[in-house]
Structures are given as C-alpha cells and as structure tokens.
Amino acid sequence: MIVTKRVYEAPDPQDGYRVLVDRLWPRGVKKAALKCDEWCKTIAPSAELRKAFHAEAIDFAAFREAYRRELEASPEAARRLAALARKQRLTLLYSARDATQNHAQVLADFLRELA
C-alpha cells in the first residue's frame, strides 16, 4: 500500500516506511524532528519542473506528464520504492500545501503501477 502525507502531520504507527520525497528540506521542520526512514531527493521533480509548476508557468496536467517522463527516464529509485511497497506500507512525505495536486500524488500513482 502506498499513501501520501504532509510532513507537518503527526507520524502514525500505521505509516510503515516513511520517505521524504521533496528535493528541498521542508521549511520549519528540524531534521531531528522529522520521523522518516529516508530522504529520497533523487526521486523528486527536477528544479526546473518544480519552479515552472510553482510559478504557474505550467498547469498540473502538464506538470504530471513532464514529471512522469522524468521518472521513466531514471526509474531506479522508483523501482526500489515500489519493491518496498510490495512488502510493507509506504508513506510518501511531502511539504506542498495542496493535498491533491502535488508531485507526491503523481509519484504514488507511478509507484502503484510498478508495484
């Protein structure tokens, strides 16, 4: 099972393996305070893609397509996380405000297809 959760939400024992999937460390969160098993920066969208989406130069549909192409071009980290998800619950941690239109949702869908 693969779920997503904001880093600002309290950890839950049901979260399983918790992975921070942001390229940048979340604002206002101390490294020692965040309960996560790993920080996987390499799976986050490229800086250029992230900036274009946040600047509203592209819409979410275009962002989703471009990010999926990035994931397909370098699938190693995605394959590893999908393999983990087959064995245990995987929680993808992100810091975006929007809970429905963010890279973690795109990544979760991509990993579900691999799992």
Side-chain angles (χ1 to χ4, degrees):
M1 174 175 253
I2 301 167
V3 296
T4 61
K5 189 175 196 176
R6 286 193 79 212
V7 295
Y8 306 105
E9 294 177 45
D12 186 298
Q14 299 298 316
D15 286 344
Y17 193 81
R18 294 168 49 96
V19 180
L20 175 61
V21 293
D22 286 350
R23 187 169 300 278
L24 305 174
W25 190 261
R27 291 181 187 204
V29 177
K30 294 181 180 180
K31 289 189 179 183
L34 182 61
K35 304 281 190 226
C36 71
D37 297 294
E38 132 180 35
W39 180 16
C40 189
K41 295 186 251 187
T42 60
I43 205 159
S46 66
E48 298 80 19
L49 183 56
R50 180 181 53 81
K51 289 176 185 176
F53 181 58
H54 289 293
E56 298 180 2
I58 59 172
D59 64 6
F60 186 68
F63 170 80
R64 181 178 48 241
E65 288 177 30
Y67 182 36
R68 287 183 65 90
R69 282 194 303 273
E70 287 183 356
L71 290 168
E72 289 166 358
S74 287
E76 299 80 20
R79 285 187 186 134
R80 185 178 58 77
L81 291 178
L84 278 170
R86 285 190 287 273
K87 298 174 187 171
Q88 63 185 311
R89 184 179 178 123
L90 178 67
T91 299
L92 305 177
L93 302 172
Y94 66 94
S95 61
R97 287 187 189 125
D98 191 326
T100 58
Q101 293 191 343
N102 64 62
H103 75 285
Q105 302 303 329
V106 177
L107 177 57
D109 290 341
F110 186 81
L111 293 178
R112 287 182 193 111
E113 293 169 13
L114 294 177

